[in-house]
Amino acid sequence: MTTKPIAQTVVEQAVAAVRDQFAGHPVNTVPDGVGGVLVTIDNIDLGPAYTPNMTWLGFHINTAYPHSDVYPHYIGRVTRVDNQAHGVAVQQVDWQHRPALQLSRRSTQWNPATDTAALKAEKVITWFRAAQ
């Protein structure tokens, strides 16, 4: 008797893509209890403009994915070495019992055919690195 492999949900596929995109980084997931998942990627290097320069990145992939934006994103509470503010899109919060900075950058033109959770995570990291 052969068994068919169980098809992955779109949320599971998104997590697999995040793991592929961030190969070499620990990627931790916690089910949200309603079909989505909370994702944390460790060992994210934000570059020399921040202290500490290594942090984590977190976000929620909800059950409406891929038809909803992956938003907002969270990183550990880093500070800029030039003592400048992070900007109006960044605020201090707690996320998953961790002190965090929340980056509120919604993708108003989110396209489920081309936009992914992994790509959005890369864009968030690029946004922080560009703030130098």
Side-chain angles (χ1 to χ4, degrees), residues 8-20 22 25-33 35-42 56-62 70 95-96 98 117-118:
Q8 285 184 314
T9 68
V10 292
V11 171
E12 291 168 334
Q13 291 170 2
V15 170
V18 168
R19 289 185 193 284
D20 288 346
F22 292 93
H25 294 266
V27 176
N28 301 301
T29 60
V30 177
D32 67 5
V37 66
L38 300 162
V39 178
T40 306
I41 307 165
D42 290 319
W56 53 270
L57 175 72
F59 50 93
H60 181 215
I61 303 173
N62 67 41
V70 179
W95 188 72
Q96 297 299 298
R98 299 168 102 168

